[in-house]
């Protein structure tokens, strides 16, 4: 199976010849050297400015530090998960409205989508944090961060879904029509399941954006990973080391999301795309 | 001609400035096999697709069993359910197994219980010779196999008419016959068929009537032997000469 997987690079470029291979080797060595020098410079600067001093790092030996970070991580997870779920559902609804044959519904949906896509999520957060309470609506800080992040993502997801629906060959719905299936059954049984497989990569990048958007939670003082890190920083005066560790945590989380998407794409996508599983090597 | 299952009266259709169907009058009787032939761009596929309203028409009327085709909604879907269609590019549901492709219509449209639908689907797949592939997905099958599944999928609805829109045009040469064989068998069993094709031997052998189209109009209609041996119009003669040249 894996022998048949064609990467984008294989599809776009021809196989390198001997000269090209030599050049690739030289450039690779050069690039590795540059990266090594870069890292060395950073470490040196850290050393000069005293950032490597143990007092900035010993806090990571305490369980309380990690417990507090874990608490923040849980907050981030709750916000991202809830916002992601809301955005998926709302994005689907907006997309269905957008492709509706009723002109008014399509126009309204497009306006809503463009609004949520166009407005920075921070602005939406300010709206929920500063404007809505003025009208006497009390909202826990959890929703003040979750709703705007969800709304901002829903606009993008609606467009991602729509791109997927448009990418499903017209023959699929024509075949379903010719069987006498209703429009809604065609959408939910034939078109959307295929559209979903097509857009999984874009969907996942958008979920990564959701995770990153949650970091503005400090605006509404919701205890997410970023907010808790800020508390620890002011307690221990360990700015660089703390942000360094937190950055790594975010990278790991988003890397995990990406890996999950690759797993999903392989589990469900290759079934349709690959014609080669019939004759394994 | 009270036995006509499909009647097209003065049907016209335009794509912008292009007049793709010009005053089409055609009747298909129950049990009849009508083959539409003609040069590419002559409107034969479009004609075929108007019969289940995958293409709308601008003027004229199309009757199915004596009733005008509904324009939309449940009524139209109900008529479509009685008209099978096989496409040039198969159009099997790419995310469903072969078996699910065939049971989709009966389960979702006719409300057939799952177990019964599966049983009937397996029987149909056996009939077209792809029952051993039932659990695979369409991309794992050859073109000829996929097209046979597509025929089984249509048959699962127990259609009164089958439309074939160039069913072998996308196939590798060695796979054409396996699909034609299934179609011949269907015709022999008395299925009413409208077939758009370039397979002249099939037309000669199976058709009750050949309809020759050019530039959006029906130029000539005749029994196959009559048409192939003594074409009346210059257009038909030219067309036959150009494809029979070798």
């Amino acid at each position: 199976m894996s022998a048949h997987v064609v990467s984008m690079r294989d599809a776009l470029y021809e196989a390198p010849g001997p000269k090209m291979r030599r050049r690739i080797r030289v450039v690779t060595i050069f690039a590795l050297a540059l990266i090594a020098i870069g890292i060395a410079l950073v470490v040196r600067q850290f050393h000069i400015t005293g950032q490597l001093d143990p007092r900035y790092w010993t806090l990571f030996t305490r369980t309380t530090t990690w417990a507090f970070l874990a608490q923040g991580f849980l907050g981030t997870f709750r916000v991202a998960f809830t916002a992601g779920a809301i955005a998926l559902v709302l994005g689907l609804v907006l997309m269905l409205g957008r492709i509706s044959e009723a002109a008014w519904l399509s126009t309204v949906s497009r306006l809503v989508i463009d609004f949520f896509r166009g407005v920075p999520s921070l602005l939406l957060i300010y709206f929920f944090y500063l404007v809505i309470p003025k009208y006497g609506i009390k909202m826990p800080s959890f929703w003040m961060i979750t709703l705007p992040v969800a709304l901002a993502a829903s606009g993008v997801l609606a467009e991602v879904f729509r791109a997927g629906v448009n990418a499903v060959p017209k023959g699929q719905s024509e075949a379903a029509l010719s069987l006498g299936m209703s429009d809604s059954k065609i959408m939910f049984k034939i078109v959307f399941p295929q559209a979903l497989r097509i857009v999984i990569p874009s969907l996942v990048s958008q979920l990564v954006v959701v995770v990153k958007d949650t970091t503005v939670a400090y605006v509404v003082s919701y205890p997410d990973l970023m907010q808790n890190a800020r508390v620890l920083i002011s307690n221990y005066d360990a700015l660089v080391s703390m942000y360094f560790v937190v950055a790594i945590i975010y990278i790991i989380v988003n890397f995990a999301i990406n890996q999950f998407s690759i797993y999903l794409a392989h589990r469900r996508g290759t079934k349709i795309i690959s014609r080669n599983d019939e004759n394994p090597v | 001609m009270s036995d006509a299952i499909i009647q097209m009266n003065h049907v016209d259709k335009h794509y912008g400035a292009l007049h793709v169907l010009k005053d089409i009058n055609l009747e298909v009787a129950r049990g009849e096999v009508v083959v539409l032939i003609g040069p590419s761009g002559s409107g034969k596929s479009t004609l075929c697709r108007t019969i289940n309203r995958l293409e709308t028409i601008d003027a004229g009327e199309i009757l199915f069993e004596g009733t005008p085709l509904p324009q939309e909604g449940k009524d139209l879907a109900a008529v479509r359910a009685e008209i099978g269609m096989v496409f040039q590019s198969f159009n099997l549901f790419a995310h469903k197994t072969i078996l699910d492709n065939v049971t989709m219509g009966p389960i979702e449209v006719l409300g057939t219980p799952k177990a019964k639908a599966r049983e009937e689907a397996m029987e149909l797949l056996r009939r077209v010779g792809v029952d051993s592939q039932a659990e695979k997905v369409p991309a794992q099958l050859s073109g000829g196999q996929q097209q046979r599944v597509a025929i089984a999928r249509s048959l699962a609805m127990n259609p009164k008419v089958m439309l074939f829109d160039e069913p072998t045009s996308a196939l590798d040469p060695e796979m054409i016959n396996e699909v034609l064989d299934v179609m011949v068998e269907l015709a022999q069993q008395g299925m009413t068929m409208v077939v758009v094709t370039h397979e002249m031997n099939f037309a000669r052998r199976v058709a009750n009537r050949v309809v020759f189209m050019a530039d959006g109009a029906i130029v000539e209609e005749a029994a196959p032997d009559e048409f192939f041996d003594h074409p009346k119009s210059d257009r038909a003669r030219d067309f036959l000469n150009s494809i029979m040249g070798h």
Side-chain angles (χ1 to χ4, degrees):
Chain A
M1 190 45 236
S2 61
H4 291 288
V5 173
V6 176
S7 77
M8 191 64 87
R9 194 168 24 197
D10 294 338
L12 288 179
Y13 304 109
E14 57 174 351
K19 242 188 210 169
M20 192 61 192
R21 274 203 297 273
R22 217 173 306 132
R23 206 176 306 159
I24 289 172
R25 220 174 300 136
V26 171
V27 171
T28 306
I29 291 168
F30 187 68
L32 284 178
L34 269 185
I35 292 169
I37 291 169
I39 292 174
L41 281 176
V42 169
V43 172
R44 179 165 170 268
Q45 200 61 27
F46 272 25
H47 180 71
I48 290 171
T49 54
Q51 287 297 338
L52 295 179
D53 191 301
R55 71 190 167 98
Y56 292 125
W57 297 90
T58 45
L59 73 152
F60 292 109
T61 59
R62 298 180 203 199
T63 48
T64 49
T65 304
W66 289 106
F68 198 58
L69 281 179
Q71 226 175 54
F73 180 81
L74 208 67
T76 293
F77 178 81
R78 281 178 55 204
V79 171
F81 190 82
T82 316
I86 293 175
L88 284 172
V89 174
L90 196 57
L92 176 59
V93 171
L94 285 172
M95 181 275 285
L96 290 174
R98 175 82 170 79
I99 64 172
S100 158
E101 278 170 19
W104 64 270
L105 183 57
S106 174
T107 309
V108 169
S109 306
R110 201 179 66 219
L111 287 175
V112 173
I113 290 169
D114 286 349
F115 178 79
F116 287 147
R117 273 204 318 161
V119 174
S121 45
L122 188 56
L123 210 73
L124 287 174
I125 291 168
Y126 279 139
F127 175 79
F128 278 87
Y129 180 50
L130 301 173
V131 181
I132 284 190
K134 286 226 162 103
Y135 294 92
I137 300 169
K138 279 190 185 144
M139 202 182 260
S141 62
F142 173 75
W143 290 109
M144 284 186 202
I145 176 70
T146 303
L147 281 181
V149 168
L151 292 180
S154 70
V156 182
L157 288 183
E159 285 301 287
V160 168
F161 285 145
R162 195 166 70 94
V165 165
N166 286 339
V168 175
K170 205 157 178 282
Q172 294 288 311
S173 43
E174 282 187 351
L177 279 174
S178 78
L179 290 177
M181 288 174 74
S182 64
D183 288 346
S184 61
K185 276 191 174 163
I186 294 174
M187 176 52 70
F188 288 110
K189 303 241 169 205
I190 306 296
V191 177
F192 194 68
Q194 295 187 55
L196 201 57
R197 277 156 223 227
I198 296 171
V199 300
I200 279 178
S202 325
L203 218 54
V204 170
S205 348
Q206 202 47 43
L207 290 180
V208 169
V209 170
V210 167
V211 172
K212 295 205 282 188
D213 267 2
T214 61
T215 54
V216 237
Y218 71 86
V219 173
V220 299
S221 312
Y222 180 78
D224 78 328
L225 179 57
M226 200 62 167
Q227 168 68 7
N228 283 8
R230 286 162 58 90
V231 171
L232 287 170
I233 285 169
S234 52
N235 279 358
Y236 291 101
D237 185 33
L239 185 100
V240 173
S241 58
M242 181 53 75
Y243 276 150
F244 184 76
V245 169
V246 166
I248 286 175
I249 295 175
Y250 275 111
I251 289 171
I252 290 173
V253 168
N254 287 329
F255 179 76
I257 294 177
N258 269 319
Q259 286 305 109
F260 181 64
S261 81
I262 291 169
Y263 160 78
L264 266 189
H266 268 266
R267 198 174 61 107
R268 323 192 61 176
T270 47
K271 252 183 141 186
I272 345 181
I273 295 157
S274 165
R275 289 198 56 159
N276 299 307
D277 2 6
E278 217 180 357
N279 13 336
V281 187
Chain B
M1 279 289 246
S2 62
D3 210 21
I5 189 164
I6 299 166
Q7 286 169 277
M8 304 179 76
N9 300 324
H10 303 292
V11 170
D12 270 279
K13 182 180 175 71
H14 301 257
Y15 284 131
L18 200 65
H19 201 167
V20 285
L21 292 180
K22 293 175 186 162
D23 191 33
I24 300 292
N25 292 285
L26 181 71
E27 291 199 355
V28 179
R30 227 173 270 278
E32 196 181 16
V33 176
V34 173
V35 169
L36 296 175
I37 64 173
S40 63
S42 60
K44 49 196 194 309
S45 272
T46 309
L47 190 158
C48 185
R49 288 161 56 86
T50 60
I51 296 173
N52 65 354
R53 216 181 150 79
L54 283 184
E55 299 281 350
T56 55
I57 58 176
D58 300 336
E61 59 171 2
I62 299 176
L63 308 181
F64 180 72
E65 297 193 302
T67 331
L69 271 189
Q71 309 216 340
E72 59 195 342
K74 277 187 183 152
D75 297 338
L76 176 59
V79 172
R80 281 174 171 156
E82 301 194 316
I83 304 178
M85 184 154 202
V86 174
F87 301 85
Q88 178 175 357
S89 46
F90 329 134
N91 295 349
L92 291 182
F93 304 131
H95 62 310
K96 295 280 176 190
T97 65
I98 297 308
L99 185 60
D100 288 345
N101 261 277
V102 182
T103 57
M104 177 71 79
I107 292 174
E108 298 298 336
V109 179
L110 304 177
T112 312
K114 268 187 188 157
K116 187 160 177 270
R118 292 174 79 88
E119 201 178 301
E120 288 171 357
M122 281 311 294
E123 178 52 38
L124 283 167
L125 288 174
R126 237 189 313 278
R127 231 171 101 186
V128 299
V130 278
D131 50 317
S132 60
Q133 319 283 326
E135 296 306 325
K136 292 189 177 165
V137 290
Q140 291 170 282
L141 268 58
S142 73
Q145 289 172 325
Q146 288 192 55
Q147 194 61 300
R148 284 183 281 151
V149 173
I151 294 173
R153 176 176 66 177
S154 289
L155 289 177
M157 297 295 288
N158 270 319
K160 294 178 175 164
V161 184
M162 288 277 284
L163 308 175
F164 293 85
D165 184 7
E166 304 207 22
T168 58
S169 299
L171 294 176
D172 291 336
E174 77 270 22
M175 294 172 182
I176 290 175
N177 279 333
E178 66 192 50
V179 172
L180 291 180
D181 287 345
V182 173
M183 291 168 62
V184 170
E185 207 186 303
L186 262 184
Q188 282 165 353
Q189 287 160 354
M191 176 63 77
T192 310
M193 296 164 61
V194 175
V195 184
V196 177
T197 188
H198 296 289
E199 297 298 325
M200 297 305 148
N201 288 331
F202 172 83
R204 197 187 261 270
R205 228 169 89 211
V206 179
N208 298 113
R209 188 152 46 110
V210 173
V211 174
F212 174 73
M213 288 184 74
D215 297 327
I218 294 180
V219 178
E220 201 170 328
E221 264 183 83
D225 287 339
E226 164 100 14
F227 174 79
F228 287 113
D229 297 336
H230 309 289
K232 288 194 211 64
S233 61
D234 291 341
R235 291 299 305 261
R237 258 193 300 276
D238 288 349
F239 176 71
L240 289 175
N241 280 336
S242 70
I243 55 171
M244 305 286 193
H246 301 284

